[in-house]
Amino acid sequence: MTGFGAGESTAHGQPLRVELRAVNHRHLDLRVRAPSELSDLAGIVEEMLRARCGRGRIEAQVLWRSPGTSGSELDFERARRAYQQLVQLRDELAPAQEVPFAAVFEVPGVFVSKPWQRDDVEQALRSATELAVEALAAMRAREGEALATDMRARLALVRQSAASIEQHRPGMLESAQKRLIKRVEKLLEGTAVGLDPARLVQEAAWFAEKSDVAEELTRLASHLDEFERTLDSHGESVGRKLDFVVQEIGRELNTIGSKANDAEISRHVVELKAELERIREQVQNIL
């Protein structure tokens, strides 16, 4: 599922921020970007993501400006030597001139980058990454609940249509028998071929049995129950299992549509397939 999460900490007085952006993907695909100063620590972010995220394409960005580039400190020893040398030069060239102390700050090398401790930065990075992962998981959970609510509503519509088919099934079987008898009677009309009523009833019953969709409806109900149980479960394979169950539901609908030579049932099958396709699209969001 898609999602965004961010976490922030502080390292050496500078904010350290980790941002995570996730999109759907069948496997776990990680991409971590970090400042050059933290290139050797980028593996920490990837390690934490692999431990907490099962799948998805996740882009992680670490934002931090090290004290070495954002500020510096005065090297007292270098500044002292620099001022002494400026005074010495003044005495040689212009004894009457005053040497402003601010001139020391213009001497290259008197300011040096502030050192930073790797352990402190690593701790801040772990903290920010943990917060970002939690925020991402929370957003994904909210999206998952919304998807589950939508699929449950559509599942209820599928159950209603399946119940309508079940209610119509006895009448469909009786109608199929009557149609077969009338068709045979019309074919034999005006011929010398005799009609065996018992054999005709037997053939009509066989035809009706071949058109019966009771077994398919039973399996369909079982698949719908399994789909709902899977929705209520938790685990990394939920999306793949739902995708499999949707395929099985589709197979039963195809069989019902092909076996039942009935306009009313065909109409319900079309409605069922439309809802199933919408469910399939939602399942793709959690694969």
Side-chain angles (χ1 to χ4, degrees), residues 17-33:
R17 181 177 175 87
V18 175
E19 296 181 352
L20 304 177
R21 292 173 174 81
V23 295
N24 297 325
H25 198 274
R26 287 182 176 270
H27 307 288
L28 184 61
D29 181 13
L30 300 177
R31 302 175 185 180
V32 181
R33 292 184 297 167

Side-chain angles (χ1 to χ4, degrees), residues 131-191:
L131 293 174
V133 170
E134 291 177 357
L136 175 64
M139 185 172 180
R140 280 177 144 184
R142 289 192 296 270
E143 181 184 356
E145 286 299 324
L147 291 174
T149 299
D150 180 80
M151 285 189 284
R152 287 191 182 94
R154 298 191 183 282
L155 205 64
L157 296 177
V158 172
R159 289 187 186 277
Q160 290 176 9
S161 293
S164 298
I165 293 176
E166 178 62 39
Q167 292 175 359
H168 184 72
R169 186 176 65 84
M172 180 270 293
L173 296 177
E174 183 180 352
S175 177
Q177 290 177 321
K178 290 180 178 180
R179 285 199 308 270
L180 179 61
I181 292 174
K182 287 182 179 180
R183 188 179 306 169
V184 173
E185 290 176 343
K186 186 174 182 179
L187 289 173
L188 298 180
E189 186 178 342
T191 67

Side-chain angles (χ1 to χ4, degrees), residues 23-268:
V23 295
N24 297 325
H25 198 274
R26 287 182 176 270
H27 307 288
L28 184 61
D29 181 13
L30 300 177
R31 302 175 185 180
V32 181
R33 292 184 297 167
S36 58
E37 300 96 321
L38 303 183
S39 58
D40 61 330
L41 297 177
I44 293 175
V45 179
E46 182 173 344
E47 176 188 345
M48 295 181 67
L49 291 177
R50 289 191 181 281
R52 294 286 300 275
C53 303
R55 62 182 178 274
R57 178 174 288 114
I58 303 177
E59 293 185 358
Q61 184 174 14
V62 182
L63 305 172
W64 185 63
R65 191 178 184 188
S66 74
T69 57
S70 65
S72 57
E73 62 183 10
L74 182 64
D75 186 326
F76 288 93
E77 184 59 31
R78 289 185 181 182
R80 187 178 296 108
R81 289 199 304 268
Y83 188 74
Q84 290 173 351
Q85 290 171 354
L86 287 174
V87 171
Q88 183 180 355
L89 183 62
R90 186 274 319 269
D91 293 341
E92 293 178 2
L93 301 179
Q97 296 294 324
E98 180 181 354
V99 180
F101 182 75
V104 174
F105 303 141
E106 303 297 328
V107 177
V110 296
F111 285 96
V112 295
S113 299
K114 294 179 181 179
W116 52 273
Q117 298 296 322
R118 186 182 188 279
D119 292 345
D120 294 342
V121 177
E122 179 178 340
Q123 182 178 354
L125 181 61
R126 289 185 180 276
S127 177
T129 302
E130 181 67 26
L131 293 174
V133 170
E134 291 177 357
L136 175 64
M139 185 172 180
R140 280 177 144 184
R142 289 192 296 270
E143 181 184 356
E145 286 299 324
L147 291 174
T149 299
D150 180 80
M151 285 189 284
R152 287 191 182 94
R154 298 191 183 282
L155 205 64
L157 296 177
V158 172
R159 289 187 186 277
Q160 290 176 9
S161 293
S164 298
I165 293 176
E166 178 62 39
Q167 292 175 359
H168 184 72
R169 186 176 65 84
M172 180 270 293
L173 296 177
E174 183 180 352
S175 177
Q177 290 177 321
K178 290 180 178 180
R179 285 199 308 270
L180 179 61
I181 292 174
K182 287 182 179 180
R183 188 179 306 169
V184 173
E185 290 176 343
K186 186 174 182 179
L187 289 173
L188 298 180
E189 186 178 342
T191 67
V193 179
L195 181 64
D196 183 356
R199 178 64 184 275
L200 181 59
V201 171
Q202 183 181 1
E203 291 296 326
W206 177 85
F207 176 75
E209 182 180 352
K210 296 294 289 184
S211 302
D212 194 10
V213 294
E215 292 183 5
E216 287 74 19
L217 288 173
T218 298
R219 288 195 295 268
L220 175 61
S222 176
H223 293 328
L224 295 177
D225 291 341
E226 182 63 27
F227 190 94
E228 200 154 12
R229 283 193 296 269
T230 304
L231 271 182
D232 294 333
S233 66
H234 301 280
E236 293 299 333
S237 61
V238 167
R240 289 190 291 272
K241 186 174 181 179
L242 290 177
D243 187 52
F244 171 77
V245 177
V246 165
Q247 293 179 29
E248 295 301 306
I249 293 174
R251 290 192 182 94
E252 299 302 336
L253 294 181
N254 288 334
T255 304
I256 292 172
S258 62
K259 286 183 66 174
N261 186 19
D262 182 87
E264 181 67 15
I265 290 182
S266 296
R267 182 181 67 81
H268 283 300

